[in-house]
Amino acid sequence: MTLLRIRNLTVEFATASGAFRAVDSVDQDIGNGEILAIVGESGSGKSVSMLAVMGLLPWTAKITADEVSFDGQDLLNMDPRARRRIIGKDLAMIFQEPMSSLNPCFTVGWQIKEALRFHLKMDRKARHARAVELFEQVGIPDPEKRLSAFPHQLSGGMNQRVMIAMAIACKPKLLIADEPTTALDVTIQAQILDLLASLRDETGMGLVLITHDMGVVAETAERVSVQYAGQKVEEQPVADLFNTPHHPYTAALLDALPERATARLLPTIPGVVPGQFDRPAGCLFSPRCKFADAKCKATPPPPLGTDLGHARCFYPLNTADRIAS
Amino acid sequence: MTDAPVMTAPSATAPVMQATALQRHYEVSGGFMRKPRLLKAVAGLDFQLTPGKTLAVVGESGCGKSTLARMVAMIEEPTEGTLTLDGKPVLPDDWADLRQSVQIVFQDPYGSLNPRQRIGTILMEPLVINTKLTKAEREAKAREMLQLVGLRPEHFDRYPHMFSGGQRQRIAIARALMLDPKVLVLDEPVSALDLSIQSAILNLLTELQDRLQLAYLFISHDLGVVRHVADEVIVMYLGRAVERGSKAALFAAPQHPYTVALLSATPQANPGAEKRRIKLKGELPSPLAVPNGCAFAPRCWKAQDTCRAKTPELGAAPHSAACFFPENAG
């Protein structure tokens, strides 16, 4: 069943020098109990598209979409009060920087209990018991004591676990994790990723993992959506994406991984991600693509079919007639 | 372009820098009226840097790898132990002269460039302080360096904010190379960069090393990157080297349980790969309260009474681990 359904989502920011399109007609479906990874480099709009769903963008953002629905409810035209009852309860998010996302003036216990009070109307005793239970679940040792700690008294890994505990406090149906492990060490990253996967197994929630780390994607995700300069350029199940990428950008990104390197010098992608003023007329990747021709530079390619990973490309790789890339 | 006279390649095997039992301690205030406590950020480290080779230091946050970088770059003085450069001891009195030979590139390319200086000024600054070159010579050298790191001549008069992260890191590398150093300390040079930019910077570093015979001290937490760039690898845990070996040996047959755990925790970009993750118990202990015996013992699944009583030492073999019960031994 589709939990979150996004159709033709576009987000534009009003800047002093005109509108900047951060997300460009993105479609996305996330089902119950599914782990979807959204990968892309900085500026590819992967965080912004999910922040738009959460309604957390500043007023300078102009959000247009054909459909954004969560669990059958239209998020686009929902009044803010109704939205507040869903956000943080059924639809929760973990942010990238635990240190700056937690309020430094309150204990972590207070912050986690606030969600329980607001959404679940629990009494004081029940809140405390639930908070202790949540801390145990996310692997925070000595939970009774840690509940009265302030964020600055905890390490980054601990704070990230507090954020996760807070996000799963109300047993959300969909959890959006925005770079949940980027600031953490690998051994702690492994613990957090295991924790998220086991939560999915236990509660059947959907999980959206926003990341730029291909290793994390390969180990955690089931389906992967690749974004480039605001557009979704490809989407495939994880094994297929790594074995037979269809979009040249995906292929180039995978080739650039140091661990896949065969020679002393790594394959690189020339150029940079297009910005506000040098957005190409045709395919957004065409200035950096080694396969691009005049057609690519003139007309934007529409997404292809499911068998070709919805790749936005006129000349997809790894197809029946183009085996070798 | 590469007619710089100072960069003659020395004999390939002689180490340019050597560290023996290098230590750095900090005094941390224990609170009002209490005795200050001693934090051993680096507690005894031996290594050598060879021209044209890369020594990678890996470890998690708090293991002392950045302190090590600061000692090698002569920003901080070692508390104990000796550091020699070209056979001569590195003492604070001589730092001003020796710093020309050791330069450092920091992790954050946004914070390490002065936003109010033009790129040309940033690049010429080290020459103004350390050499007697004329203004024209300085500018010629800066422009040459700009080209060497893959930037265009028109970038000379621009300001740092006009560049992307990857380009800024190129500028930081160019600045580090202005004084023709023999040793380049790279403190997480690519961890702030995107994947497609990261590969370009790694390639640049490889090319520069081949061309200039630089010795790299490459500090990173990313084992994927280390596996690509390193010749030798040191794994650090709480200020100590727990394992040392050539890249091939260390990645093929890690000996120290911590290295094994670290490798198993690193996500591989291969969805078909078998996952056998070793879960470590507990947290990294505070560096103020390093456990007795082996520092890793409280989190180790093989720990026995010996480990908690005695501190294991790194062996003399090229690939050895500071462990009483190493994995893959023999």
Side-chain angles (χ1 to χ4, degrees):
Chain A
M1 198 194 91
T2 306
L3 200 55
L4 181 69
R5 193 178 148 86
I6 302 171
R7 285 291 171 272
N8 200 15
L9 173 72
T10 298
V11 180
E12 280 183 341
F13 286 96
T15 65
S17 46
F20 171 62
R21 186 167 284 198
V23 179
D24 191 355
S25 42
V26 165
D27 296 347
Q28 204 69 264
D29 287 296
I30 297 120
N32 275 318
E34 189 186 24
I35 304 183
L36 170 81
I38 303 179
V39 287
E41 300 179 81
S42 27
S44 60
K46 53 195 193 303
S47 294
V48 173
S49 57
M50 285 301 133
L51 286 172
V53 170
M54 297 285 289
L56 293 175
L57 288 175
W59 61 271
T60 46
K62 189 165 146 270
I63 303 165
T64 49
D66 295 346
E67 183 184 354
V68 179
S69 66
F70 172 71
D71 207 13
Q73 290 161 292
D74 180 13
L75 284 179
L76 211 53
N77 304 310
M78 184 179 268
D79 87 295
R81 277 164 178 276
R83 183 193 278 272
R84 269 201 74 155
R85 283 196 289 275
I86 295 176
I87 303 292
K89 184 166 184 284
D90 294 331
L91 179 58
M93 188 157 179
I94 303 168
F95 299 95
Q96 181 174 1
E97 300 231 335
M99 289 294 189
S100 50
S101 307
L102 290 168
N103 190 332
C105 303
F106 295 94
T107 63
V108 292
W110 190 92
Q111 296 183 53
I112 198 168
K113 287 172 190 168
E114 186 191 17
L116 297 172
R117 180 172 53 82
F118 182 83
H119 288 297
L120 303 180
K121 312 276 182 282
M122 285 179 165
D123 62 29
R124 183 181 288 264
K125 237 184 187 160
R127 287 205 296 270
H128 187 75
R130 175 74 178 138
V132 170
E133 185 194 339
L134 282 165
F135 269 29
E136 273 167 2
Q137 205 178 351
V138 298
I140 297 178
D142 205 358
E144 291 273 358
K145 211 173 109 193
R146 291 290 161 83
L147 277 175
S148 51
F150 285 91
H152 73 268
Q153 295 170 315
L154 302 174
S155 67
M158 279 296 165
N159 274 325
Q160 192 56 286
R161 276 180 243 193
V162 171
M163 292 284 295
I164 294 174
M166 209 180 280
I168 61 171
C170 306
K171 299 204 172 87
K173 292 177 182 158
L174 181 67
L175 181 62
I176 300 171
D178 185 2
E179 309 255 9
T181 57
T182 307
L184 306 178
D185 283 320
V186 277
T187 51
I188 299 173
Q189 164 171 293
Q191 289 174 8
I192 299 277
L193 292 176
D194 282 348
L195 171 69
L196 289 175
S198 67
L199 281 171
R200 192 276 309 252
D201 296 341
E202 282 162 29
T203 62
M205 68 178 184
L207 179 62
V208 179
L209 193 66
I210 300 174
T211 182
H212 66 269
D213 187 330
M214 284 302 201
V216 171
V217 171
E219 296 214 340
T220 320
E222 291 162 356
R223 202 153 51 87
V224 188
S225 157
V226 183
Q227 278 193 206
Y228 181 76
Q231 282 183 344
K232 182 169 106 175
V233 294
E234 178 162 6
E235 180 182 310
Q236 285 204 73
V238 64
D240 297 345
L241 186 97
F242 278 84
N243 295 330
T244 54
H246 293 310
H247 198 283
Y249 173 64
T250 316
L253 209 54
L254 291 173
D255 284 342
L257 285 170
E259 51 187 291
R260 287 195 165 201
T262 46
R264 203 160 137 70
L265 290 185
L266 299 163
T268 57
I269 310 176
V272 290
V273 181
Q276 187 178 355
F277 306 108
D278 52 359
R279 228 174 150 78
C283 168
L284 293 182
F285 188 59
S286 61
R288 306 173 74 187
C289 182
K290 57 183 171 187
F291 305 109
D293 63 9
K295 185 181 172 194
C296 300
K297 291 189 165 71
T299 31
L304 297 166
T306 314
D307 54 325
L308 289 170
H310 306 281
R312 280 180 189 268
C313 185
F314 290 120
Y315 310 106
L317 308 172
N318 294 308
T319 56
D321 46 294
R322 285 191 72 181
I323 298 294
S325 59
Chain B
M1 192 163 79
T2 52
D3 56 345
V6 196
M7 297 175 201
T8 44
S11 61
T13 44
V16 58
M17 188 174 241
Q18 202 148 14
T20 323
L22 208 59
Q23 299 193 25
R24 172 73 205 181
H25 304 169
Y26 295 101
E27 280 200 348
V28 182
S29 138
F32 180 61
M33 294 290 277
R34 285 201 206 141
K35 250 188 10 198
R37 292 184 293 174
L38 204 61
L39 189 154
K40 294 185 175 178
V42 174
L45 206 59
D46 303 275
F47 62 86
Q48 42 182 271
L49 300 173
T50 321
K53 297 281 179 199
T54 303
L55 172 74
V57 177
V58 289
E60 296 180 278
S61 36
C63 75
K65 51 192 197 303
S66 287
T67 306
L68 172 69
R70 294 167 68 86
M71 279 196 287
V72 171
M74 292 175 242
I75 299 169
E76 288 190 40
E77 192 185 343
T79 320
E80 301 265 333
T82 53
L83 197 64
T84 62
L85 185 72
D86 281 336
K88 290 187 284 286
V90 175
L91 299 170
D93 292 341
D94 310 327
W95 274 6
D97 299 327
L98 296 174
R99 274 201 187 114
Q100 292 197 29
S101 309
V102 183
Q103 292 289 317
I104 184 164
V105 176
F106 294 99
Q107 170 177 10
D108 178 18
Y110 292 86
S112 55
L113 300 177
N114 186 342
R116 299 175 59 157
Q117 284 185 332
R118 292 171 194 272
I119 303 310
T121 319
I122 290 175
L123 293 184
M124 289 188 291
E125 189 83 2
L127 299 177
V128 175
I129 299 164
N130 290 295
T131 67
K132 293 197 176 73
L133 297 179
T134 63
K135 190 155 187 285
E137 285 170 329
R138 289 200 297 264
E139 186 174 329
K141 199 159 191 299
R143 287 190 184 277
E144 189 184 296
M145 191 57 72
L146 212 56
Q147 196 188 351
L148 189 65
V149 298
L151 292 168
R152 286 199 295 273
E154 65 260 32
H155 292 154
F156 192 82
D157 288 318
R158 294 194 187 164
Y159 286 97
H161 74 264
M162 300 156 110
F163 293 90
S164 66
Q167 284 175 316
R168 283 181 208 220
Q169 203 59 304
R170 284 177 195 268
I171 296 165
I173 292 169
R175 177 179 58 183
L177 292 176
M178 282 310 287
L179 289 168
D180 308 327
K182 294 172 183 153
V183 176
L184 203 56
V185 180
L186 303 156
D187 190 358
E188 308 256 12
V190 293
S191 44
L193 305 177
D194 272 321
L195 191 54
S196 69
I197 310 295
Q198 173 182 309
S199 56
I201 296 292
L202 289 176
N203 283 353
L204 172 69
L205 289 172
T206 311
E207 283 164 3
L208 288 172
Q209 185 172 47
D210 288 351
R211 191 178 287 177
L212 307 174
Q213 285 299 302
L214 295 163
Y216 285 163
L217 178 67
F218 193 97
I219 290 172
S220 180
H221 66 271
D222 188 333
L223 287 165
V225 171
V226 165
R227 194 174 207 156
H228 179 70
V229 300
D231 295 299
E232 292 271 321
V233 182
I234 289 179
V235 183
M236 281 181 79
Y237 186 75
L238 282 177
R240 285 180 179 277
V242 293
E243 185 162 357
R244 181 194 61 218
S246 72
K247 171 178 70 173
L250 191 130
F251 279 95
Q255 291 181 356
H256 198 282
Y258 177 65
T259 316
V260 176
L262 205 59
L263 283 172
S264 80
T266 306
Q268 286 182 308
N270 179 5
E274 192 187 348
K275 266 197 271 186
R276 214 185 304 139
R277 223 178 250 164
I278 296 165
K279 273 194 194 162
L280 289 181
K281 287 177 282 179
E283 293 281 303
L284 194 77
S286 155
L288 281 168
V290 176
N292 286 333
C294 172
F296 187 59
R299 300 175 75 190
C300 183
W301 64 98
K302 297 176 90 182
Q304 299 183 17
D305 289 342
T306 337
C307 304
R308 284 179 274 270
K310 282 195 288 182
T311 309
E313 296 291 336
L314 210 57
H319 179 203
S320 70
C323 183
F324 293 118
F325 309 103
E327 304 257 321
N328 300 312

